[in-house]
């Protein structure tokens, strides 16, 4: 089942093997700290989960990219709002994935060896979050919202998103997790 709201976060250096420590998400993990904050912003409200929302982390770092980590709001269990325990779910998934094409790491958390183009083909129509975007409005759900980690999308990623509207949340460059909170707020207010 496809969620009403899907967030795809492009993890440009995020490692695709469990060769990092939970104490070093920022360095050894390739800015996995940014991605974990995005999962919390996408999935959590105070004291509960958004069951209509999925988060997809697209890991593009070494040694075997790409890997997409899917958090399914409708079925996820054992997800907590802190970075470290979310990273532990991802780490366990990478341990289980090994040479497989996909694996369920824990209930509602699955890993798949798919890239951006294939992922976009499986999900509802996409918009790209971009501080130079040409609109401030989100289309109606179901939709897919794509954003960068601490770096903007590459030329190749932009090409895969060429037909997607570019939505801006003001002209200041914001943290990715803050963009997700603002996007939810805007869509919640309709
Ligand atoms: C931390 S920013 C990326 C780096 C930033 N552009 C820079 O180099 O200063 C992460 C992502 O959040 C999204 N983003 C940040 N600010 C935004 C804004 N004002 N409107 C829409 N999207 C934004 C974009 O997708 C961006 O790639």
């Amino acid at each position: 089942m496809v969620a009403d709201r899907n967030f795809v976060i492009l993890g440009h250096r995020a490692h695709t093997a469990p060769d990092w420590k939970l104490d070093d998400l920022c360095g050894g993990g390739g800015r996995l700290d940014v991605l974990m904050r995005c999962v919390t912003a996408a999935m959590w409200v105070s004291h509960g989960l958004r069951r209509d929302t999925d988060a997809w982390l697209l890991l593009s770092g070494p040694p075997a990219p790409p890997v997409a980590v899917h958090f399914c709001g409708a079925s996820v269990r054992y997800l907590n709002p802190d970075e470290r325990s979310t990273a532990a779910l991802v780490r366990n998934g990478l341990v289980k994935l090994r040479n497989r094409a996909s694996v369920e790491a824990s209930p509602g958390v699955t890993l798949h060896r798919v890239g951006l183009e294939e992922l976009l083909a499986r999900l509802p129509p996409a918009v790209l979050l971009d501080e130079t975007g040409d609109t401030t409005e989100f289309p109606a759900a179901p939709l897919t919202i794509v954003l960068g980690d601490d770096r903007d999308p590459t030329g190749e990623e932009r090409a895969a998103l060429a037909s997607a509207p570019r939505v801006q949340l003001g002209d200041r460059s914001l943290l990715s997790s803050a963009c997700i909170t603002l996007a939810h707020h805007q869509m919640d207010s309709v």
Side-chain angles (χ1 to χ4, degrees), residues 12 128-133 146-153 158 167-177 179:
H12 294 108
L128 173 63
L129 286 187
D130 186 334
E131 40 277 61
T132 65
V146 183
L147 66 163
D149 52 359
D150 61 317
R151 294 187 177 175
D152 288 327
R158 284 189 179 276
V167 179
Q168 69 142 294
L169 301 160
D171 53 14
R172 295 195 78 170
S173 188
L174 304 171
L175 295 178
S176 311
S177 53
C179 290

Side-chain angles (χ1 to χ4, degrees), residues 9-11 14 31-39 57 59 149:
I9 304 99
L10 306 170
R31 294 315 308 263
L32 278 166
D33 61 315
V34 175
L35 301 190
M36 300 312 127
R37 285 194 286 278
C38 284
V39 172
L57 305 179
L59 316 183
D149 52 359

Side-chain angles (χ1 to χ4, degrees), residues 16 57-60 64-69 94 97 111-114:
T16 43
L57 305 179
L58 193 53
L59 316 183
S60 297
V67 172
V69 186
L94 290 170
L97 185 63
L111 284 78
H112 311 266
R113 293 195 186 277
V114 295

Side-chain angles (χ1 to χ4, degrees), residues 47-60:
H47 304 296
L49 289 164
R50 289 182 180 267
R51 296 292 182 187
D52 64 346
T53 298
D54 286 9
W56 298 81
L57 305 179
L58 193 53
L59 316 183
S60 297

